[in-house]
Amino acid sequence: MKRKLIAVTACATGVAHTYMAEKALIKAAKELGVLIKVETQGATGIGNRLTSKDVSIGEAVIFATDTKVRDAERFDGKKILQIGVSEPIKNGKGVIEKALKVADE
Amino acid sequence: MNISQVIKPNLVLYDLVANTKKEVINKLADLYQKTGVIQEKEAYIISVMKREEEGTTGIGDGIAIPHGQSETVKESAVVIAKLKEPVEWHSLDDLPVKYVFLLAIPDEGDQEHLKILSQLAGLLMDDDVRIQLEKSKSKVDLINIFKKGVDQL
Amino acid sequence: MSLKKIGKILEQNIMTGISYMIPIVIAGAVLMAISRVGASFYGISTIWDNKWADSANFMIRFLHTDDGWGSVALGLMFPVISAYIAYSIADKGGIAPGIIGGTLVANMNAGFLGALVSGLIAGYSVKLMIKYIHLPKAAESVLPVFIVPVLGTFITLFLVQYVIGVPFADLNSGLSAWLKSMTGTNRILLAAIVGGMVGFDLGGPVNKAAVTTAMALVTSGVYDPNTAAQVAIIIPPLGLGLATVINKKKFNLELQEAGNAALVMGLIGVSEGAIPFAVESPLKVVPANVVGSAVGSALAVGLGAVNHAPISGFYGWFAVEKWWFYILSIIIGTLIVTGLTLLFRKNVIIKPDDQVEEKDETNGKYFSEDEWEN
């Protein structure tokens, strides 16, 4: 069975980095054979909103955010990796690997 | 609405000559002012520089996506510039920047437009797009990358 | 912030509220329409009267009960719109003060406008509280669970009760009395104006203003504007769709496609079906729509058709009083739009569509939902 992660991306302006981080996470996860669902919290609203089912499936949640995560209470009790929104753009694979480690702790 | 409606040929520059990051932003903001995208250049530049202070917008592989959100922006827009010589940008990968995508974002934006700018930002993470940027030889090449790119989305 | 921006934000908030309210109005109004149409077969025009609760006929008793269900649903209209305007402004925290304020509005009979204002008060008072009240970290959670709901509700109720309630209630009863007292030419003129507004921007602000006002008046027992609006909603898409069928040469391939869609959308009561045409050549399309809608609406009201429900699609036609006149008016309005459109337009040279672009819906998804869940 493949490893599964979920993530939320958000930046201050909500137009550029949110979506670049999303693509970077998906790209890195794909290359590492990990499944990931990414919710974008941008200026135009929440994209690909994670359902409570998604939340329960994800082994850990990556918050790649420079702003407050909206509706963060959905993730109460999950293992969380909090990083800046640029981090996945810089080193996507590193972030995925770190998140898997968090999930194993 | 699609990405080709957002990328306006008069907002695409090939072989822009500039020596510093500040000069690049200044020249591109001039273009915005001339085309009526922004009203007060100074206010817009301040918003762009403020964003740079919060963290670099150089996302690696010679690409930077600076952006400013300000009341002085009348409509959301993007200007694309390929620089003649790369400039220092303190990028995530420490490489100098050759391709600049400067976004102008109004305080309360037209959602449709912003979504497309977001898609554009997402496209820049695509390896193919980065390779094609590197290969581009003219303004038309630059525009075509994103015409093609968005069809894949 | 400029006035225009403020207007835009207000419009957005109010539209959010309206979009949450509409399903409730539809549910309630249809239940009521069923009961009233059903009762008319028994020659009863006052099915809401309590005396029918003890009728010997089960059907009549049921129709009376069903009318009551409709009232229950419509009674929620003001609380819901107030709550969701507040929600649109201040997120979750706005809902409690909004819904409570809206209920007080309903009790005070302060009408649709009262409910809008109550929602705005609730939303902005909560928003300001969240922004300006800062508590020490340890006590932070007191704000959303205690201070916001209690203080927000208090402020909203206070302002509704002592400031806006009475004037809006007067305005509301005055307006409905005035509309009800309209007769003859004035009624027809009103219908034409409502129809023209609805046909003007096809789901835009002018259209929405007319349609929602008309819907709100239904709850006060004023049906003319609603009848006019519901007729006018479907005339533009039907008229333009019909025009593309009658004379293909005047439309390019995309508009021909859009014409088929417009016919279907018209039948189910979605005026947005006409938008592709209005975008392509507004100066020809908008006047045709306005004239066709205005005439259709004026005819329907003038001939005495009454639509009790905020439904414009064909499935609502037979619940309309004097539905034969209602449908006739729609047909006439449609033909006017079709005729004017064909008159205004020139033939176009159709060039074959060079390529059909296909959109990949998977958008970056590299695994299936099954793989995710197992």
Side-chain angles (χ1 to χ4, degrees):
Chain A
M1 199 175 78
K2 286 187 173 172
R3 305 290 307 261
K4 289 160 192 166
L5 294 172
I6 52 175
V8 176
T9 63
C11 59
T13 326
V15 175
H17 284 69
T18 305
Y19 301 90
M20 293 192 286
E22 175 203 12
K23 295 286 185 299
L25 283 170
I26 291 174
K27 190 166 117 189
K30 201 168 158 184
E31 281 167 19
L32 294 172
V34 175
L35 305 188
I36 192 166
K37 283 197 174 184
V38 185
E39 171 176 313
T40 51
Q41 301 190 347
T44 51
I46 294 184
N48 306 322
R49 195 185 179 89
L50 294 168
T51 63
S52 51
K53 194 167 183 185
D54 292 336
V55 173
S56 66
I57 289 173
E59 297 168 45
V61 46
I62 303 169
F63 284 166
T65 58
D66 283 355
T67 56
K68 201 170 91 61
V69 174
R70 281 179 246 170
D71 298 340
E73 69 275 4
R74 284 180 293 166
F75 305 102
D76 284 350
K78 297 296 289 186
K79 288 172 178 160
I80 292 172
L81 173 63
Q82 174 69 61
I83 50 173
V85 72
S86 291
E87 200 61 31
I89 302 172
K90 195 171 169 182
N91 180 6
K93 283 189 190 173
V95 169
I96 299 288
E97 277 159 2
K98 222 194 262 174
L100 292 176
K101 236 180 254 164
V102 169
D104 290 334
E105 270 164 19
Chain B
M1 179 118 119
N2 61 45
I3 218 160
S4 49
Q5 281 164 275
V6 177
I7 298 178
K8 307 223 170 80
N10 62 343
L11 292 179
V12 179
L13 299 174
Y14 197 82
D15 276 350
L16 177 74
V17 179
N19 295 318
T20 63
K21 173 172 171 175
K22 233 181 157 163
E23 200 182 332
V24 172
I25 290 172
N26 192 29
K27 282 193 169 170
L28 299 183
D30 268 341
L31 183 62
Y32 270 151
Q33 181 144 37
K34 255 188 257 159
T35 47
V37 172
I38 59 173
Q39 283 187 327
E40 291 156 40
K41 192 177 126 189
E42 294 312 315
Y44 174 70
I45 289 184
I46 288 171
S47 74
V48 174
M49 294 318 277
K50 213 178 117 208
R51 176 61 189 82
E52 290 298 319
E53 277 162 27
E54 282 168 19
T56 181
T57 57
I59 56 172
D61 283 346
I63 301 172
I65 179 158
H67 43 284
Q69 180 171 30
S70 159
E71 229 188 356
T72 188
V73 177
K74 289 300 135 200
E75 49 173 1
S76 42
V78 57
V79 50
I80 302 178
K82 189 237 160 206
L83 309 182
K84 187 142 182 122
E85 297 299 333
V87 303
E88 179 52 46
W89 207 283
H90 303 288
S91 295
L92 293 172
D93 61 0
D94 289 323
L95 292 175
V97 158
K98 213 169 162 184
Y99 303 93
V100 178
F101 297 77
L102 178 67
L103 307 185
I105 301 154
D107 258 359
E108 266 116 28
D110 152 19
Q111 302 281 301
E112 194 71 10
H113 223 128
L114 286 184
K115 268 192 193 141
I116 289 172
L117 290 181
S118 310
Q119 285 177 5
L120 177 71
L123 272 180
L124 294 176
M125 299 309 296
D126 193 290
D127 286 336
D128 281 346
V129 170
R130 291 187 176 196
I131 292 167
Q132 284 181 35
L133 271 179
E134 199 51 54
K135 278 199 220 151
S136 67
K137 299 233 159 35
S138 67
K139 185 169 155 172
V140 179
D141 281 355
L142 276 181
I143 297 172
N144 280 337
I145 295 173
F146 297 100
K147 271 204 174 136
K148 258 194 252 154
V150 85
D151 292 343
Q152 294 161 1
L153 273 180
Chain C
M1 227 183 334
S2 69
L3 223 76
K4 204 174 146 197
K5 261 188 201 163
I6 294 175
K8 205 165 172 193
I9 294 171
L10 280 183
E11 186 192 318
Q12 231 171 39
N13 293 331
I14 290 173
M15 284 300 159
T16 305
I18 288 175
S19 71
Y20 280 94
M21 178 195 74
I22 285 177
I24 290 186
V25 182
I26 302 237
V30 172
L31 289 177
M32 249 181 198
I34 291 172
S35 116
R36 292 184 188 182
V37 172
S40 69
F41 290 117
Y42 296 94
I44 299 168
S45 59
T46 54
I47 190 67
W48 53 86
D49 197 317
N50 258 335
K51 68 183 176 196
W52 302 113
D54 303 320
S55 166
N57 184 326
F58 171 76
M59 249 348 263
I60 294 178
R61 283 204 309 276
F62 176 73
L63 289 169
H64 174 76
T65 308
D66 176 55
D67 191 75
W69 292 346
S71 310
V72 170
L74 290 183
L76 284 172
M77 189 174 134
F78 294 157
V80 166
I81 191 172
S82 169
Y84 281 93
I85 288 175
Y87 169 74
S88 166
I89 298 166
D91 282 334
K92 215 163 66 185
I95 287 188
I99 205 163
I100 299 168
T103 309
L104 181 60
V105 165
N107 291 346
M108 290 179 78
N109 199 18
F112 188 66
L113 289 173
L116 295 187
V117 178
S118 150
L120 293 174
I121 294 173
Y124 281 107
S125 56
V126 168
K127 193 173 180 172
L128 291 177
M129 263 186 265
I130 291 173
K131 194 165 170 190
Y132 290 110
I133 301 183
H134 294 288
L135 295 176
K137 214 141 190 108
E140 227 172 27
S141 60
V142 178
L143 190 65
V145 300
F146 186 79
I147 298 182
V148 164
V150 175
L151 200 58
T153 303
F154 180 82
I155 294 172
T156 309
L157 289 179
F158 190 87
L159 291 176
V160 169
Q161 183 88 49
Y162 295 108
V163 183
I164 66 157
V166 175
F168 276 83
D170 288 345
L171 184 71
N172 186 42
S173 55
L175 185 68
S176 36
W178 177 63
L179 289 169
K180 274 184 186 163
S181 71
M182 273 195 177
T183 48
T185 335
N186 285 341
R187 279 180 62 197
I188 294 172
L189 195 66
L190 174 76
I193 292 172
V194 171
M197 284 172 76
V198 170
F200 177 71
D201 60 350
L202 311 168
V206 178
N207 166 300
K208 284 275 183 300
V211 173
T212 47
T213 313
M215 279 187 183
L217 287 167
V218 167
T219 58
S220 318
V222 180
Y223 297 111
D224 282 354
N226 182 58
T227 307
Q230 302 309 331
V231 168
I233 283 174
I234 69 174
I235 285 177
L238 286 182
L240 290 162
L242 187 61
T244 65
V245 173
I246 291 179
N247 192 343
K248 282 199 165 62
K249 283 192 206 123
K250 298 197 180 220
F251 300 91
N252 64 26
L253 281 177
E254 279 140 42
L255 286 185
Q256 286 178 27
E257 281 285 310
N260 294 334
L263 279 175
V264 176
M265 288 170 90
L267 283 176
I268 59 171
V270 180
S271 61
E272 279 85 342
I275 285 181
F277 297 89
V279 170
E280 191 250 0
S281 47
L283 291 179
K284 291 173 188 149
V285 169
V286 172
N289 285 344
V290 170
V291 173
S293 296
V295 172
S297 300
L299 265 178
V301 171
L303 293 172
V306 183
N307 188 346
H308 295 278
I311 303 172
S312 51
F314 69 93
Y315 40 84
W317 292 354
F318 300 99
V320 172
E321 240 173 75
K322 299 205 178 153
W323 54 267
W324 50 92
F325 283 143
Y326 188 81
I327 295 176
L328 179 74
S329 311
I330 291 172
I331 294 173
I332 292 175
T334 301
L335 290 176
I336 292 176
V337 173
T338 306
L340 288 178
T341 306
L342 292 178
L343 197 69
F344 290 156
R345 293 182 73 96
K346 295 190 186 72
N347 288 356
V348 295
I349 305 138
I350 297 171
K351 38 180 190 240
D353 217 355
D354 39 17
Q355 65 186 76
V356 183
E357 279 178 27
E358 274 196 23
K359 231 179 166 190
D360 188 0
E361 293 292 335
T362 49
N363 194 3
K365 260 276 187 79
Y366 55 94
F367 54 88
S368 70
E369 208 53 26
D370 278 347
E371 202 179 351
W372 174 254
E373 284 173 17
N374 292 311

